[in-house]
Amino acid sequence: MIVEEIMNRHVYSLSPTNTVNDAVRLMREKKIRHLPIVDGQGTVVGIITEHDVKNALPSCLKEEPNSTIHQTPIEEIMTKNPIIGHPLDFVEEVAVTFYETKISCLPIVSGGELIGIITTTDLLYTYIELTGAHKPSSKIDIRVSDKPGTLSDITQIFKEHKANVLSVLIFPDSKNENSRILSVRVQILNPLAIIGELRNQGFDVLWPNVPGVHNE
Amino acid sequence: MSKNAVFIYSPEQLGYKFSDSHPFNHKRLLLTMDLLKKIDALSDDDIVPARIATDEEIALAHDKKYIEIVKNAGHGLLTPQQCENYGIGTEDTPIFPNMHEASSLLVGGTLQAVDYVMQGKSRHALNLGGGLHHGFHGRASGFCIYNDSSVAIKYMQEKYNARVLYVDTDAHHGDGVQWSFYDDPDVCTLSIHETGRYLFPGTGNVTERGNGQGYGTSFNFPLDAFTEDESFLEVYETAMREVFEFFKPDVVFTQNGADAHYFDPLTHLYGTMNIYREIPKLAHKLAHEYCDGRWIAVGGGGYDIWRVVPRAWSFIWTEMNDLPYPTGELPKSWLEKWQKEAPVPFIPTWEDPNPLYEPIPRKAEIEEKNAQMLTKALHIIRNERK
């Protein structure tokens, strides 16, 4: 999956000469936390986050009449030359960037212009879509040995039961490094026949997988 | 003189049958009725036949094209491949002869129940053949072809202009009904179910609260797997009282799936007969407090049709008729009659043996998690009340 498939194309931005007050208002109004700062040519020259704004403003507990901070141009508090992304970047790469640099937003630039934005919220939503139930389905977790052909053996059983598989995730087994957990979301209310067949063929079905509770 | 309650049933409702080995088996209706008759709780005068819902009525909640597909499939005119996009011809919901006719009789039964209650001919009405809460607008899902509950609620809105509270205690999320009224502020859906982390249909998270005008009129209470009686009932009773007080319905419609029991093969909740005694009791009480008694109840899931469903569903009928709870031994004649067919030994008493199962290792944590979920789910109305 690449960034252009999940990025937000409707980007709110400001220019370096807008004031801190403009940023506060726009963030509140649109319920957003990040604003790319764009110059007259459409080039991203900075970024300002809700955190930057809060740092700049005086405490709400302390009265400071006639504070000039609200009228300060944004360019004085923005992060200059922020990390940017490209619409063809892989979503996984963006996740690594967020994780390693501890930032939470990437302006997406193509042809020298700002064309989109992606935030940790968008990435989380993508993850929810990958693992969640978008169609009525049951989930079956299976502990499998980490060797070629296992997935094929398992999907054969789903095929024989005409069960439509909606998602498959394979992740490490925290208990045994020679095995993996296969988590399958399948469009069926009654998975008992499939589970029976999986167990017949020697698979360790964990459904439902609650640590400390053993289910027959 | 109006009756306390009517029992909707026609033998033809048993025609809703996928196959001999399918877990959804309406023989449950026969077992339940026979049990009620043998304790003298049900007489032929109480029984009102189901009617057939018309295509127009079914179309209140279903796509016309889908209705045609169901008709044709049941008349042998379509292959399973041609029905694939409509959710029929699958292992869950196979094609069977006259599936449209059988399904429209389940819908008509629920409409019959609605008319009796809304026209004041009886205070309460029970159609155990209904409660097919997974049916979608244009697609069968999870053993359900037509969603009798969605049709009946739309029918109550159009014909009686009623404000309806739908309560679903099936162990599976009542997704079909929830999505039918997700945008509608005049229908409130309340579903208590096992979390969708593993169990079908996967939805029913606390965060599903409705949409647009209907925001705040969908309530979901997903219980952890291995939830036991006390925690189930704490969630049920708190949710019911607070949602009734918040929504103030004209009529309450309950779906009484009986698959949250420890014995049920398809789910992982650890309920016992206690929950099935308490569920109708509170629904009945609140129906009188808020709805002048107007209460329509339907069946639903329930896949241990021998040991669980007949006892569980009998409690709905005895509650509707203000009869004391049946307790002690089940009638010998009933046990003898059905034991021959049953693949498992019956529980010979109305109560389950105590204990019914080995203690759950993480009981306290499961209860704590459910309590936290309950707070989250009700947060929205508790906040408004302040």
Side-chain angles (χ1 to χ4, degrees):
Chain A
M1 194 179 286
I2 57 173
V3 165
E4 70 177 6
E5 293 173 78
I6 67 164
M7 71 183 186
N8 191 344
R9 290 169 192 276
H10 196 79
V11 194
Y12 297 101
S13 62
L14 291 174
S15 79
T17 51
N18 278 108
T19 62
V20 169
N21 203 32
D22 294 335
V24 171
R25 272 217 313 262
L26 191 58
M27 283 182 184
R28 261 192 212 146
E29 198 177 295
K30 304 297 176 194
K31 294 188 172 130
I32 51 177
R33 296 171 299 159
H34 310 90
L35 289 170
I37 311 302
V38 178
D39 69 9
Q41 282 74 52
T43 309
V44 177
V45 294
I47 192 157
I48 181 166
T49 68
E50 196 182 26
H51 187 73
D52 298 329
V53 170
K54 280 184 180 156
N55 267 350
L57 290 177
S59 163
C60 63
L61 300 174
K62 195 172 155 197
E63 274 185 64
E64 248 179 83
N66 310 320
S67 166
T68 54
I69 296 168
H70 284 90
Q71 302 312 321
T72 312
I74 287 174
E75 59 188 339
E76 289 185 23
I77 65 162
M78 72 184 186
T79 303
K80 296 192 172 84
N81 301 317
I83 304 173
I84 54 168
H86 191 269
L88 294 181
D89 284 347
F90 287 99
V91 171
E92 296 91 323
E93 289 169 0
V94 174
V96 171
T97 305
F98 284 170
Y99 181 77
E100 287 183 341
T101 59
K102 296 197 161 66
I103 60 170
S104 52
C105 151
L106 215 50
I108 305 301
V109 173
S110 178
E113 271 185 51
L114 176 67
I115 60 155
I117 190 164
I118 179 168
T119 70
T120 45
T121 313
D122 302 320
L123 266 191
L124 255 184
Y125 185 75
T126 305
Y127 171 81
I128 291 168
E129 275 193 318
L130 287 175
T131 58
H134 284 265
K135 289 180 176 169
S137 52
S138 303
K139 199 175 89 170
I140 304 172
D141 282 1
I142 311 158
R143 175 173 288 128
V144 296
S145 42
D146 192 9
K147 62 173 194 216
T150 309
L151 187 59
S152 161
D153 294 344
I154 285 173
T155 50
Q156 183 61 30
I157 297 172
F158 286 93
K159 183 181 175 187
E160 279 157 16
H161 288 271
K162 290 188 280 180
N164 193 27
V165 172
L166 298 176
S167 83
V168 180
L169 287 174
I170 304 173
F171 50 89
D173 182 358
S174 56
K175 290 199 186 108
N176 181 351
E177 61 178 29
N178 296 322
S179 61
R180 306 206 143 225
I181 307 291
L182 189 67
S183 186
V184 185
R185 217 167 232 299
V186 55
Q187 208 170 359
I188 198 164
L189 188 153
N190 174 20
L192 293 184
I194 290 174
I195 288 172
E197 188 56 36
L198 284 165
R199 287 187 171 147
N200 258 346
Q201 296 194 16
F203 289 106
D204 183 9
V205 182
L206 305 170
W207 180 79
N209 183 9
V210 178
V213 181
H214 182 70
N215 195 47
E216 290 301 310
Chain B
M1 181 57 200
S2 79
K3 281 172 168 280
N4 230 9
V6 287
F7 191 104
I8 313 290
Y9 173 75
S10 292
E12 294 80 12
Q13 284 183 313
L14 303 177
Y16 191 89
K17 185 173 178 180
F18 297 107
S19 72
D20 284 334
S21 59
H22 196 282
F24 187 97
N25 187 343
H26 260 349
K27 180 168 262 180
R28 311 178 287 171
L29 303 180
L30 288 179
L31 283 150
T32 306
M33 286 174 68
D34 191 43
L35 182 55
L36 284 167
K37 284 184 173 172
K38 291 208 159 91
I39 60 164
D40 291 322
L42 179 69
S43 76
D44 288 338
D45 293 344
D46 299 320
I47 299 174
V48 171
R51 66 177 175 84
I52 292 175
T54 65
D55 288 7
E56 288 69 36
E57 286 166 343
I58 295 169
L60 287 169
H62 291 284
D63 193 18
K64 288 203 166 116
K65 180 153 187 235
Y66 169 61
I67 300 173
E68 285 310 306
I69 294 281
V70 175
K71 276 187 188 170
N72 289 336
H75 296 157
L77 302 172
L78 295 173
T79 62
Q81 286 72 34
Q82 287 171 297
C83 303
E84 240 166 31
N85 290 332
Y86 301 91
I88 48 183
T90 58
E91 198 164 277
D92 270 351
T93 318
I95 295 171
F96 63 93
N98 298 318
M99 59 198 289
H100 166 81
E101 291 73 10
S103 308
S104 48
L105 202 60
L106 298 187
V107 178
T110 303
L111 296 180
Q112 188 81 288
V114 163
D115 281 332
Y116 263 76
V117 169
M118 298 310 285
Q119 292 170 12
K121 288 194 270 186
S122 111
R123 252 174 226 109
H124 324 304
L126 177 61
N127 177 38
L128 289 174
L132 278 67
H133 62 169
H134 295 308
F136 277 53
H137 187 72
R139 189 183 168 92
S141 175
F143 314 161
C144 305
I145 299 170
Y146 297 140
N147 192 323
D148 60 295
S149 307
S150 289
V151 172
I153 294 170
K154 293 260 188 208
Y155 180 82
M156 278 191 268
Q157 289 188 291
E158 294 211 347
K159 191 165 173 189
Y160 302 106
N161 199 22
R163 192 174 158 79
V164 186
L165 172 61
Y166 170 83
V167 176
D168 187 318
T169 46
D170 193 286
H172 299 89
H173 175 222
D175 55 346
V177 183
Q178 171 177 299
W179 303 129
S180 290
F181 301 100
Y182 209 54
D183 299 309
D184 190 337
D186 297 317
V187 174
C188 182
T189 60
L190 183 171
S191 181
I192 299 177
H193 43 264
E194 179 184 329
T195 164
R197 259 187 58 68
Y198 289 91
L199 195 69
F200 187 91
T203 45
N205 201 291
V206 282
T207 52
E208 291 161 31
R209 297 190 185 276
N211 187 33
Q213 292 282 306
Y215 185 82
T217 57
S218 287
F219 292 91
N220 283 292
F221 302 89
L223 299 167
D224 240 41
F226 311 108
T227 292
E228 299 169 80
D229 286 354
E230 302 91 327
S231 187
F232 185 107
L233 286 173
E234 186 199 331
V235 170
Y236 174 70
E237 291 178 3
T238 312
M240 285 286 273
R241 286 180 197 283
E242 295 193 23
V243 173
F244 261 89
E245 177 57 25
F246 158 76
F247 188 69
K248 298 190 173 66
D250 298 326
V251 51
V252 59
F253 185 107
T254 63
Q255 193 272 15
N256 295 271
D259 50 359
H261 193 278
Y262 168 69
F263 283 146
D264 196 276
L266 288 185
T267 74
H268 319 98
L269 295 178
Y270 273 32
T272 74
M273 238 1 101
N274 292 334
I275 64 173
Y276 294 109
R277 209 177 50 225
E278 297 302 323
I279 287 169
K281 183 176 162 188
L282 184 61
H284 189 198
K285 184 171 185 291
L286 293 174
H288 278 288
E289 269 176 44
Y290 288 88
C291 311
D292 199 18
R294 284 182 291 273
W295 170 29
I296 296 135
V298 292
Y303 309 101
D304 189 322
I305 67 164
W306 309 99
R307 293 177 297 183
V308 177
V309 182
R311 290 185 297 158
W313 282 357
S314 291
F315 285 131
I316 308 170
W317 179 249
T318 54
E319 180 61 39
M320 279 189 169
N321 287 281
D322 299 312
L323 298 169
Y325 295 130
T327 155
E329 308 275 307
L330 294 181
K332 275 221 159 41
S333 53
W334 185 83
L335 290 169
E336 278 163 15
K337 176 172 177 186
W338 297 104
Q339 186 63 76
K340 284 168 254 160
E341 282 185 54
V344 283
F346 277 116
I347 302 287
T349 50
W350 286 95
E351 293 81 15
D352 279 324
N354 187 15
L356 186 61
Y357 48 79
E358 298 280 304
I360 302 293
R362 303 185 77 168
K363 182 185 172 84
E365 289 157 276
I366 290 169
E367 288 177 352
E368 183 182 57
K369 181 160 181 231
N370 287 339
Q372 214 176 69
M373 172 279 293
L374 177 65
T375 308
K376 273 186 206 159
L378 291 173
H379 171 78
I380 185 168
I381 48 183
R382 287 178 175 171
N383 246 19
E384 200 169 284
R385 240 178 9 219
K386 273 179 201 158

